[in-house]
């Protein structure tokens, strides 16, 4: 994820189980755009809670880049596109980027749960890697989703071993 929360890359498991960012135009490959302007994000259990959290975390980066025209343009587009964003943006709540619970309601597989972790790079703090570590019971569901989407892709055996520890 880049400084303005643009999605720079995702793996085949995320693409198959959550959303394929490559399927939308470049201006929509953004985590805030996904949460507030893409109906797929509403499959996130407790969407409103998570949307508030994402927005509070984004405000921290928005503040660090005060006046940056790319940030301003994104906020203005979201205010026009999403009534929730327009209503919640003026609030002042801030949250640090930390780990947290992840609960996704996949249309076919049901609930997929895990922990999301955000890692920042010391040399470039605007570049972030978001990792979702699935809980053990979600691994089988994710493997089935991945097999259906791309049967030739690697299996999740390494993740399964880590989840058992």
């Amino acid at each position: 994820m880049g400084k303005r929360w643009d999605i720079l890359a995702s793996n085949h498991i995320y693409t198959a189980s959550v959303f394929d960012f490559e399927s939308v135009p470049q201006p929509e490959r953004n985590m805030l755009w996904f949460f507030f302007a893409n109906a797929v994000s509403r499959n996130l259990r407790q969407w409103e809670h998570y949307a508030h959290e994402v927005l509070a975390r984004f405000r921290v980066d928005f503040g660090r880049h005060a006046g940056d025209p790319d940030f301003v343009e994104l906020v203005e587009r979201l205010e026009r596109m999403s009534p929730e964003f327009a209503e919640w943006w003026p609030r002042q709540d801030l949250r640090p980027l930390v780990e947290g619970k992840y609960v996704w309601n996949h249309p076919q597989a049901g609930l997929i749960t895990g922990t999301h972790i955000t890692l920042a790079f010391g040399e470039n703090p605007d570049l972030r890697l978001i990792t979702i570590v699935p809980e053990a019971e979600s691994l089988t569901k994710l493997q089935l989703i991945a097999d259906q989407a791309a049967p030739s892709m690697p299996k999740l055996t390494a993740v399964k071993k880590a989840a058992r520890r």
Side-chain angles (χ1 to χ4, degrees):
M1 187 168 74
K3 75 174 184 177
R4 198 186 70 148
W5 291 41
D6 294 314
I7 303 303
L8 305 176
S10 62
N11 67 26
H12 72 285
I13 299 292
Y14 188 90
T15 297
S17 62
V18 180
F19 187 70
D20 180 5
F21 282 99
E22 296 286 323
S23 71
V24 296
Q26 189 69 39
E28 296 176 21
R29 295 178 193 174
N30 177 278
M31 190 56 72
L32 256 65
W33 191 265
F34 174 72
F35 262 89
F36 288 97
N38 191 313
V40 173
S41 72
R42 305 300 169 121
N43 288 326
L44 188 62
R45 185 157 245 182
Q46 298 178 340
W47 173 85
E48 188 171 326
H49 167 77
Y50 285 114
H52 278 287
E53 291 290 312
V54 164
L55 188 54
R57 289 180 173 114
F58 176 77
R59 273 193 200 93
V60 173
D61 285 334
F62 183 85
R64 286 181 351 145
H65 298 282
D68 183 316
D70 291 334
F71 275 82
V72 172
E73 183 267 337
L74 175 63
V75 167
E76 289 173 349
R77 281 191 318 128
L78 282 164
E79 285 177 319
R80 290 189 302 270
M81 180 57 97
S82 168
E84 294 95 346
F85 185 91
E87 179 184 341
W88 301 343
W89 178 245
R91 297 179 185 175
Q92 299 300 312
D93 45 331
L94 303 170
R95 304 262 192 295
L97 283 173
V98 294
E99 63 187 46
K101 184 79 172 158
Y102 178 87
V103 183
W104 181 257
N105 189 20
H106 188 273
Q108 287 80 36
L111 289 182
I112 296 172
T113 58
T115 301
H116 69 81
I117 302 166
T118 302
L119 305 169
F121 295 86
E123 292 179 15
N124 185 353
D126 288 331
L127 186 61
R128 305 217 176 89
L129 175 66
I130 300 171
T131 302
I132 300 171
V133 180
E135 292 178 358
E137 62 272 8
S138 294
L139 288 172
T140 303
K141 294 176 186 180
L142 287 169
Q143 187 64 63
L144 290 171
I145 293 166
D147 287 347
Q148 290 173 352
S152 64
M153 293 305 283
K155 302 297 182 206
L156 297 174
T157 53
V159 176
K160 287 181 184 179
K161 288 177 187 173
R164 280 184 256 171
R165 292 182 199 158

